[in-house]
Amino acid sequence: MERENNEEMKEEKVKKEAMGNIVSNRNYRARKGDEINRKRREERIANRAIVTPAPLYDCDKILKAVDRLPEHRVNEGKKEVTKNTYISFIRAFYRRNTGEELGDDDDIIKSIRDEEYNALKVSRKFKSILEDKFKEIRRRPYEVNNLFKIFNSIRGFTEISKRLYAYVLEYGKQYEEKRSVARVEDKKDLEISFEEEEIKKNIERIVNRRDKIIYGYIFLIKGRLNELRMLKKAKDKEEINNLENNYIYENRIYINNTKNGKNRIMEIPEEFMRLCEGIEEGYLLGVLMAQSTLSQALQRITHEIYGKTYTYLNIRHINASQINGRGASLKEREETSRQAGHSVEQQLRYVYKVE
């Protein structure tokens, strides 16, 4: 009996030692992981051509609720990606404030999915949270915007929506004032060329075909990065009517899915068409890439070409700054802004304010 007890004690000791090693190894990997991630962040920042400080918002102004809410557009359905974003957000929001989880059949989830739901049940679950936590909520622009979008159309949330919308408008105004502030060590970093011949030379330097397409789209087409992510080669004319994606068909790009909801059709430059030769149908990049993966790919490509890292928004702002700086004609401003998918007025707001 004593021998059996000794054997059990030895086994228990071995298990504890093994568990201790597992915990130690896990903690070590976590520490090393944090250190590696920190070094990577520092390296990325050091390689940036342009630093755009995160906007500091003033949310302490006493803002009255708006008198009226914006009218809902008829048949304005949410896209699947938007629904998924809102569902992920509201799950996290509810978990953080209650410690509980939302189920797939919860009425707030149904409302986001544009399914039938019970507004009274949504009110019982969320109204007190929004009212009690409003002072905290109003300090987070992203949270304010998402909560307004989610609850604005639900019966019983009119008053809280008016309060939220006042902050949506204020934060939007502050963002427009601060979005173009930039810090650069060398102003030459703002002088990257958008001349077609220079772009062609840079494309020749790129080895990977997918990278050529990414760089070519941003510099030749001058569209949004997320539009490229959802760009497909259409197999027939009927397919271009699918509003979930964007399409290339007969030397034209059909932008159906874009940030501002304004569809547009563009002629494709010959140089970009050459990059797309051999792709018969499906996503131009081969797969529906994650937005973060595509963004990192562009930054890697720009670092290889220019020796500095540029984001998609950096490139968009620089292009607008150069157009404004050379005193372009109204016709050129209209053409370049249409190509980029925004108005002439918005293009002027993109001009960098260099600190």
Side-chain angles (χ1 to χ4, degrees), residues 281-338:
E281 60 180 84
Y283 287 107
L284 201 64
L285 299 178
V287 295
L288 180 61
M289 293 177 71
Q291 197 160 348
S292 59
T293 303
L294 183 52
S295 178
Q296 288 167 14
L298 177 63
Q299 291 177 51
R300 171 180 50 76
I301 294 163
T302 57
H303 189 266
E304 290 172 3
I305 292 173
Y306 304 111
K308 294 280 186 76
T309 297
Y310 291 87
T311 66
Y312 147 71
L313 281 175
N314 290 157
I315 296 164
R316 202 167 173 86
H317 280 270
I318 291 172
N319 190 31
S321 299
Q322 291 185 9
I323 290 168
N324 188 67
R326 68 170 179 266
S329 66
L330 178 60
K331 183 178 179 181
E332 183 182 353
R333 289 178 188 273
E334 287 175 340
E335 176 57 30
T336 53
S337 61
R338 187 194 69 80

Side-chain angles (χ1 to χ4, degrees), residues 4-188:
E4 288 179 2
N5 287 338
N6 288 337
E7 290 296 326
E8 287 178 3
M9 288 174 67
K10 285 180 181 178
E11 287 181 13
E12 189 64 30
K13 184 179 179 181
V14 169
K15 285 180 182 177
K16 285 182 178 179
E17 288 176 352
M19 183 56 69
N21 289 336
I22 290 171
V23 172
S24 296
N25 289 337
R26 186 186 300 141
N27 292 338
Y28 174 77
R29 286 195 299 271
R31 286 196 304 274
K32 291 299 289 183
D34 289 341
E35 184 181 339
I36 290 168
N37 289 335
R38 178 180 58 79
K39 287 181 178 178
R40 285 175 178 169
R41 280 195 299 272
E42 290 174 354
E43 187 178 335
R44 283 198 299 270
I45 291 170
N47 287 332
R48 286 179 187 171
I50 299 164
V51 175
T52 50
L56 297 175
Y57 294 101
D58 179 8
C59 65
D60 290 326
K61 295 180 180 179
I62 300 174
L63 295 173
K64 295 180 180 178
V66 297
D67 294 327
R68 294 181 62 184
L69 291 169
E71 292 183 9
H72 293 292
R73 295 177 186 172
V74 179
N75 299 325
E76 187 186 50
K78 295 183 287 292
K79 295 174 182 175
E80 283 305 311
V81 65
T82 304
K83 292 177 184 178
N84 292 335
T85 298
Y86 289 164
I87 289 170
S88 297
F89 167 81
I90 202 66
R91 286 186 191 279
F93 175 82
Y94 188 73
R95 187 188 310 118
R96 186 171 68 250
N97 286 287
T98 67
E100 299 175 2
E101 298 288 341
L102 289 172
D104 288 339
D105 61 345
D106 199 283
D107 286 274
I108 188 65
I109 304 294
K110 289 179 180 177
S111 74
I112 293 171
R113 288 180 179 146
D114 296 326
E115 299 171 359
E116 284 191 27
Y117 67 94
N118 187 313
L120 183 58
K121 288 183 179 179
V122 175
S123 182
R124 286 171 180 166
K125 189 163 274 190
F126 283 94
K127 204 163 189 180
S128 61
I129 297 174
L130 295 175
E131 289 172 348
D132 295 345
K133 302 283 185 179
F134 189 81
K135 284 187 177 180
E136 298 172 27
I137 290 169
R138 73 189 182 98
R139 294 181 178 277
R140 307 183 189 111
Y142 176 73
E143 198 160 285
V144 165
N145 190 63
N146 278 354
L147 290 172
F148 172 72
K149 293 285 181 61
I150 291 169
F151 289 99
N152 181 36
S153 59
I154 299 178
R155 189 174 69 252
F157 287 86
T158 300
E159 293 309 311
I160 195 74
S161 291
K162 286 181 177 180
R163 293 174 70 192
L164 287 168
Y165 192 53
Y167 280 90
V168 169
L169 294 175
E170 178 62 27
Y171 284 137
K173 179 183 173 183
Q174 291 186 34
Y175 174 72
E176 288 298 333
E177 292 170 354
K178 301 174 182 182
R179 67 185 297 189
S180 295
V181 173
R183 294 175 188 157
V184 293
E185 289 186 7
D186 187 345
K187 288 193 176 181
K188 288 183 179 178

Side-chain angles (χ1 to χ4, degrees), residues 191-207:
E191 297 172 3
I192 57 175
S193 177
F194 290 87
E195 295 296 326
E196 189 171 335
E197 288 306 312
E198 191 67 28
I199 293 168
K200 287 179 182 179
K201 289 177 186 177
N202 290 334
I203 289 172
E204 287 299 317
R205 293 169 57 192
I206 299 170
V207 177

